[in-house]
Amino acid sequence: MTLDPAARARLVDNIHQLRGSVVGSVMARGREEDLAEFGLSLMRSGLLSEALDLPTHAYALDPAALPPPKRKFGRKSPMPSQEWAPPEDVVKMLAYLEKSVRLVNREIIHAQIPGLTRERFIEFAAAVAKLRADYLNSAMACFLDDASEAADLAALRQKRALFEEGVKAYEALHRALERGYIDPQETGKA
């Protein structure tokens, strides 16, 4: 399949105008068949106003004549079975241990924090927010001040450590509440 050089130039120019310079330059360097097919699809969709005499590929006339694809898309073969799966008694043992550890955590943590109210939880979150604000304020003062010294940097490290510990503690309390280790209370009375 060959295109007349004048028709090819007009087609590439039209593609540049319709689809932009990137698509136009890619199609200009492409195969003759691909350029002709692209031009035909633009003509069929009504985007190409100029009627060009483009050769039609045989497959466009008879799609059934297309050869089968070289590779299949999707899974190439069924999923292989797991080579190793824990025996049923190990699975039961792990489930038993998980349940037991949950009960132990609940018993011990609930004894230390018998009831957590919304207000106490928010107070704790506010305390962590204050640590964050203090750390960020000190960092800005330390790094934006031209007169900062080694002592300022040491104090900043200490504030960062406090903030990071506060965040970890907040996350641990949140996780304990999610997992049911602590019974939340509705009112502010403990």
Side-chain angles (χ1 to χ4, degrees):
M1 173 185 297
T2 58
L3 280 173
D4 175 35
R8 179 183 174 84
R10 284 195 317 274
L11 181 57
V12 169
D13 185 48
N14 282 323
I15 292 172
H16 271 284
Q17 290 173 5
L18 290 170
R19 296 292 186 206
S21 61
V22 174
V23 175
S25 62
V26 168
M27 292 308 296
R29 286 180 271 147
R31 297 182 322 159
E32 296 279 325
E33 296 88 9
D34 296 333
L35 182 62
E37 280 298 314
F38 193 72
L40 286 171
S41 70
L42 290 175
M43 285 177 21
R44 282 191 298 268
S45 63
L47 293 173
L48 193 60
S49 57
E50 182 182 357
L52 298 172
D53 184 27
L54 299 173
T56 305
H57 201 280
Y59 300 133
L61 299 175
D62 183 17
L66 278 170
K70 292 182 181 175
R71 69 179 190 130
K72 293 183 180 180
F73 293 99
R75 289 189 188 165
K76 293 180 182 171
S77 64
M79 294 271 302
S81 62
Q82 287 183 334
E83 294 178 18
W84 182 86
E88 190 175 332
D89 56 338
V90 173
V91 172
K92 286 180 181 178
M93 177 68 160
L94 290 172
Y96 171 77
L97 288 174
E98 185 177 334
K99 184 177 179 183
S100 298
V101 168
R102 281 185 176 270
L103 290 173
V104 167
N105 269 300
R106 177 169 169 70
E107 184 178 327
I108 293 171
I109 295 173
H110 188 69
Q112 294 290 320
I113 306 172
L116 180 67
T117 63
R118 291 178 186 164
E119 293 82 13
R120 284 296 280 172
F121 193 84
I122 292 172
E123 284 177 37
F124 190 70
V128 174
K130 287 178 186 174
L131 290 173
R132 182 190 313 255
D134 191 33
Y135 166 61
L136 292 174
N137 188 27
S138 296
M140 290 180 67
C142 182
F143 295 118
L144 295 179
D145 225 359
D146 291 336
S148 59
E149 298 176 3
D152 296 333
L153 191 56
L156 179 64
R157 283 189 185 117
Q158 198 172 27
K159 289 181 180 185
R160 184 188 71 219
L162 279 170
F163 160 65
E164 287 175 352
E165 285 303 317
V167 167
K168 288 178 183 176
Y170 173 82
E171 289 171 351
L173 181 65
H174 193 274
R175 212 170 20 256
L177 191 60
E178 278 181 336
R179 293 181 178 173
Y181 301 157
I182 303 169
D183 283 333
Q185 291 182 352
E186 290 295 321
T187 64
K189 299 176 184 174

